[in-house]
Amino acid sequence: MELKAKDKIIVAILVVLAVVVFIGGRMHASRTGFETEKWINYEGNSRQLMLQDLVDRTRFVGMTREEVKTDLGEAEEETEDFLIYYAGIPQGLFGTKPDTDPEYLVIEFTDEDDKDKVTASGVMTADVLPKDSVFRIKGD
């Protein structure tokens, strides 16, 4: 029994809709809202699930070092010029991306006049972290 053209269009629309719903559900499940307590007491890769929400909603520039620590807790690494927080392994559509370097949230304090104020922030992998970071992957 062959489907009519109208029926084929309906089936195609239903298939596309099912794929969109599946992908949308996976993308939604791979993110959660930022919560200070969950960030500070992270387990496994849970920080990665909050990272995009944190970056999207937080304007770090201009915050003080203590304000950052109130929101994010103690950094894995701290110097006069930066705080570095382990953020986890990037997430793909079907979970953690294989063969991917961990990401770090870097908060910079590089203003010579005010070392207590954030001047920049960003998510970086170990090969582009500040030169004096203990987490930086050293090249030849």
Side-chain angles (χ1 to χ4, degrees), residues 24 30 34 46 54-55 68-69 71 96 98 107 110 117 120 122 126 135:
S30 70
F34 173 78
S46 63
L54 173 65
V55 171
V68 172
K69 287 183 173 184
D71 288 347
T96 303
I107 310 294
T110 53
K117 296 280 184 176
F135 296 112

Side-chain angles (χ1 to χ4, degrees), residues 34 36 39-40 42 47-48 51 54 60 63-78 82-89 102-109 118 121-125 129-130 133 135:
F34 173 78
T36 296
W39 180 270
I40 292 171
Y42 77 98
R47 281 184 174 177
Q48 190 64 217
L51 184 61
L54 173 65
F60 290 106
M63 290 175 71
T64 66
R65 186 178 296 264
E66 287 310 309
E67 289 171 331
V68 172
K69 287 183 173 184
T70 297
D71 288 347
L72 303 179
E74 292 297 321
E76 276 71 28
E77 181 177 2
E78 179 174 0
F82 56 81
L83 297 172
I84 295 181
Y85 294 87
Y86 174 76
I89 305 294
E103 292 180 326
Y104 299 86
L105 176 62
V106 180
I107 310 294
E108 295 183 40
F109 303 88
V118 176
S121 65
V123 177
M124 301 177 182
T125 55
L129 286 173
S133 171
F135 296 112

